[in-house]
Amino acid sequence: MAIATRARRGLTRRQLLIRSGSSAALASLGTLAKPYLSRAADRPELRCGIQSGDVSGDAAVIWSRADRAARMQVECAADENFKTILRTVATDVLPSTDFTAKLLLDGLPPGQDIFYRVRFESSDGLAGEARTGRFRTAPVTRQSISFVWSGDTVGQGWGIDPSRGGLRSYRTMLENRPDFFIHSGDHIYADCPVPSELPLPDGTLWRNIVTEAKSAVARSLEQFRGNYKYNWYDANFRAFHAEVPMFAQWDDHEVADDWSPIGTVDEAGYAEDGSSRLVARARRAFHEFMPMRPVFEQDGRVYRKIAYGPLLDVFLIDMRSYRDSTWNKGGGSDSFILGKAQLAWLKRELVASNATWKVIAADLPIGLISLDAVALGDGPPERREHEIADLLSFMKRAGIRNTIWLTADMHYTAAHHYDPNRAVFPDFEPFWEFVSGPLHAGSWSPGVLDNTFGPKAMYQKGCSAEQGDNLAPCFGLQFFGRIDIDGTSEVMTVTLKDVDDRDLWSVDIEPQPDARPGEIMAEHI
């Protein structure tokens, strides 16, 4: 964590006059004594934008990027006029991280709007233009909470077309004024270049903003970084991230389509631990551009818990980094998608959670048949399904109630209710899973559910067979979900919404009494 420091003060008018002296002195000092405007090129610029993330009751991570080596200065206040500064922190911005930097603002008051200001300063004290944003810290009392989730940004070649409103879903989500946003993965499509034009069914053209990094499949570190920088060209994206903190996950397209840690190869071959160097580059760029707190037990870890007051704990899991590479149906229970360490962590954290609601934010669905995900088809658990069966059975034995699953990935929106009375594997308590997305990518038609865990589609919407898959974003089938938790009744309302902010479907879920028997034996975890 960076050490908090006070921002350096600029020169007063008197100091500037003393340093300037006479015209002769000005000539001898050269550019060091030139007026403000003449030194504009020497001032570090704030590139991309600003964003916050991993907000808790007393802290948040602030991220930004400069155009050169500089000093990042962040200050925050309880009012938008910054009359009373709560905290000031700073850190160096270096070429090694592509001039990105993130800082932890801590010691903040809970349940309160916090305004923050970011600027970059050169080594000789020249400060660039400041940008301001805000976030809300988590409450410590039972207050109402609202948040949104979705995934899949700039996919299948559908990039930023300013004439069609750019990344419109981000503007719509901002209009909902959520407390935070869960991005369920596929922040970028590193494996999908963006062409200058794409034909549409009506004969018109989709015209993308094009950059060098987005014109080819990402292989180098610079290309992965360029994929993240591409999204910041959109004004909706910049405005949203300045106002709404993000809880970030990742999935496959941050690296390559359907990648697994064992099966992803690139021109550089494998690292000594068997993982691809391509993945290492992609992981580095992801962490450089995400406003995430580092997990000190394991460098580069994505799965973590974020406590958001007494009503909510969010468990962000990683179904990509620890999986095996076997997709085929059949085989024993030795296959995995979470891995032993992450599964044990999730069990421990669920048992320890005292929050009313426990949201498991997954980057892939459970019951939608997909060779890359969990479900493999009707029948008893096989391969990766064994891990999910083990988790669901554990949750039942431990008396863990009020869990819901959120995910994206499928490029349509749906509400699935899982019931042991419909399931081949019945050893679990009923639960809900909600699917949303894409935010800005090609739309797909709804998928097929298997009966292993007894899911039923209570609602689903995607493109039709006549429209065909990979339907362009301009057809309006771009989705996100909104969750509201009432501070008094503790009822959770889940609403599936589209890019035009239409409420497509909604359900109220009543919280159930805690059924945990007390201590759970260590061998069960």
Side-chain angles (χ1 to χ4, degrees), residues 149-152 156 183-186 189 250-254 257-258 320 323 362-365 368-370 372-374 406-412 434-439 441-442 444:
W149 91 94
S150 190
D152 311 290
Q156 289 83 39
H183 197 303
S184 302
D186 293 341
Y189 278 65
W250 78 339
D251 191 30
D252 58 334
H253 290 286
E254 282 86 0
D257 188 30
D258 294 348
R320 185 59 57 182
R323 59 166 57 203
D363 43 306
L364 292 165
L368 275 164
I369 296 176
S370 170
D372 188 42
V374 176
L406 303 180
T407 191
D409 184 68
M410 302 307 294
H411 294 233
Y412 69 92
F434 300 99
V435 183
S436 200
L439 283 167
W444 299 348

Side-chain angles (χ1 to χ4, degrees), residues 285-336:
F286 173 80
H287 283 280
E288 286 174 347
F289 280 82
M290 292 297 111
M292 293 169 54
R293 301 193 197 199
V295 180
F296 295 109
E297 306 94 279
Q298 182 182 343
D299 184 41
R301 198 177 94 180
V302 174
Y303 70 86
R304 62 203 187 280
K305 184 190 93 169
I306 298 177
Y308 204 84
L311 295 183
L312 177 65
D313 279 344
V314 179
F315 303 87
L316 299 135
I317 63 175
D318 181 355
M319 304 172 82
R320 185 59 57 182
S321 301
Y322 312 103
R323 59 166 57 203
D324 66 13
S325 59
T326 306
W327 291 354
N328 62 296
K329 187 175 174 65
S333 60
D334 57 344
S335 184
F336 46 92

Side-chain angles (χ1 to χ4, degrees), residues 87-99:
R87 298 280 281 119
T88 302
V89 291
T91 190
D92 290 328
V93 179
L94 302 171
S96 59
T97 60
D98 196 30
F99 308 117

Side-chain angles (χ1 to χ4, degrees), residues 16-45:
L16 183 59
L17 289 172
I18 292 172
R19 290 194 180 190
S20 299
S22 63
S23 57
L26 275 172
S28 65
L29 288 171
T31 58
L32 288 178
K34 287 184 178 180
Y36 179 91
L37 290 177
S38 65
R39 296 210 57 188
D42 298 327
R43 299 177 186 277
E45 292 184 18

Side-chain angles (χ1 to χ4, degrees), residues 20-237:
S20 299
S22 63
S23 57
L26 275 172
S28 65
L29 288 171
T31 58
L32 288 178
K34 287 184 178 180
Y36 179 91
L37 290 177
S38 65
R39 296 210 57 188
D42 298 327
R43 299 177 186 277
E45 292 184 18
L46 193 153
R47 290 291 171 88
C48 297
I50 59 175
Q51 61 181 332
S52 62
D54 285 13
V55 174
S56 65
D58 65 350
V61 174
I62 305 298
W63 176 97
S64 191
R65 179 175 178 270
D67 66 337
R68 68 193 78 180
R71 183 83 170 162
M72 178 169 143
Q73 306 275 359
V74 179
E75 53 188 358
C76 67
D79 62 286
E80 58 186 335
N81 296 319
F82 290 85
K83 291 180 179 179
T84 304
I85 303 299
L86 299 175
R87 298 280 281 119
T88 302
V89 291
T91 190
D92 290 328
V93 179
L94 302 171
S96 59
T97 60
D98 196 30
F99 308 117
T100 63
K102 46 191 172 183
L103 284 166
L104 181 66
L105 282 173
D106 56 7
L108 303 176
Q112 186 171 325
D113 286 330
I114 302 295
F115 299 86
Y116 66 97
R117 184 161 55 194
V118 181
R119 64 164 53 88
F120 292 97
E121 185 178 284
S122 67
S123 59
D124 57 351
L126 290 173
E129 181 184 1
R131 300 275 179 88
T132 60
R134 68 177 174 182
F135 57 87
R136 186 169 183 81
T137 49
V140 292
T141 58
R142 280 172 162 73
Q143 298 179 21
S144 296
I145 298 168
S146 171
F147 65 95
V148 294
W149 91 94
S150 190
D152 311 290
T153 303
V154 184
Q156 289 83 39
W158 304 110
I160 301 168
D161 184 342
S163 69
R164 299 179 184 274
L167 308 183
R168 292 199 302 124
S169 293
Y170 284 90
R171 182 180 64 200
T172 307
M173 290 193 299
L174 178 57
E175 290 169 353
N176 277 255
R177 292 294 169 185
D179 293 316
F180 61 87
F181 164 55
I182 299 174
H183 197 303
S184 302
D186 293 341
H187 296 255
I188 61 170
Y189 278 65
D191 54 330
C192 294
V194 168
S196 59
E197 296 178 345
L198 285 170
L200 295 171
D202 62 2
T204 62
L205 292 175
W206 179 282
R207 291 184 170 87
N208 288 313
I209 293 175
V210 177
T211 66
E212 182 178 353
K214 279 299 295 176
S215 298
V217 173
R219 293 293 181 186
S220 69
L221 176 59
E222 290 307 310
Q223 287 173 318
F224 282 111
R225 288 167 168 170
N227 271 257
Y228 290 101
K229 286 183 277 193
Y230 181 86
N231 294 350
W232 287 101
Y233 280 94
D234 182 71
N236 302 313
F237 188 88

